[in-house]
């Protein structure tokens, strides 16, 4: 990670995204139903926000809600994402399920993690270093990305 010598911050962190998620969670979090907001930057520069839907059956996390909201607006290429919890809990890293889904849909995405001086933008692949990669997404597969996840052998299938 490179940092700005003047501020010590990671210059790759999109601070407008963090603010958008902080504002959404502050304005719209309601009890136990909605406790986390996420914000994502689309390839065309828009910011899309969403809230988690907490439910005992495992409702969607805020990151997944943002993916759906972006798709509903015709934005299928997300560049960076962040999740922020209510109650002043700050930036949250994505859960395991979200890491896998983000990697599957947006393999070049960066994810903002950490707090304070430790806040940084990491490639989603770094959050899931030995991820499962579906056969159609591996090297040489028709319609899939050009590279497999680090540590995943090219051409393996499950």
């Amino acid at each position: 990670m490179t940092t700005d010598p003047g501020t010590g911050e990671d210059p790759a962190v999109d601070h407008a995204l963090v603010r958008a998620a902080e504002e959404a969670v502050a304005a719209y979090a309601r009890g136990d139903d909605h406790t986390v907001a996420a914000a994502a930057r689309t390839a065309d520069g828009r910011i899309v926000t969403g809230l988690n839907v907490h439910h005992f059956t495992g409702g969607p996390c805020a990151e997944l809600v943002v993916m759906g909201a972006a798709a509903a607006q015709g934005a299928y290429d997300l560049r960076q994402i962040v999740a922020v919890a209510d109650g002043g809990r700050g930036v949250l890293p994505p859960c395991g399920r979200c890491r896998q889904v983000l990697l599957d849909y947006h393999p070049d995405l960066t994810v903002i993690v950490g707090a304070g001086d430790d806040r940084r933008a990491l490639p989603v692949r770094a959050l899931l270093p030995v991820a499962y990669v579906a056969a159609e997404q591996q090297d040489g597969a028709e319609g899939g990305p050009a590279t497999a996840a680090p540590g995943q052998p090219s051409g393996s299938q499950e």
Side-chain angles (χ1 to χ4, degrees):
M1 172 181 87
T2 59
T3 58
D4 180 307
T7 64
E9 294 178 347
D10 180 351
V13 170
D14 186 336
H15 297 284
L17 280 183
V18 177
R19 282 190 303 277
E22 288 171 341
E23 290 169 5
V25 80
Y28 305 115
R30 299 179 88 182
D32 290 339
D33 295 335
H34 307 288
T35 59
V36 177
R41 175 80 63 186
T42 66
D44 64 7
R46 288 180 282 166
I47 293 177
V48 179
T49 60
L51 294 173
N52 72 315
V53 181
H54 181 78
H55 192 262
F56 74 93
T57 62
C61 295
E63 296 93 334
L64 301 184
V65 172
V66 164
M67 288 176 59
Q73 297 176 31
Y76 298 98
D77 185 6
L78 302 182
R79 299 299 172 92
Q80 191 167 84
I81 195 166
V82 65
V84 174
D86 66 353
R89 294 181 291 151
V91 172
L92 295 177
C95 72
R97 176 180 68 170
C98 286
R99 291 174 192 214
Q100 185 68 55
V101 173
L102 291 169
L103 176 64
D104 291 347
Y105 278 80
H106 305 286
D108 296 322
L109 181 77
T110 58
V111 180
I112 299 172
V113 297
D117 293 340
D118 193 35
R119 189 167 295 158
R120 59 203 182 279
L122 298 175
V124 68
R125 292 177 186 275
L127 299 178
L128 209 55
V130 288
Y132 170 79
V133 178
E136 65 271 9
Q137 293 182 319
Q138 293 177 8
D139 288 334
E142 261 186 61
T147 60
Q152 180 70 33
S154 180
S156 71
Q157 296 184 16
E158 282 196 22

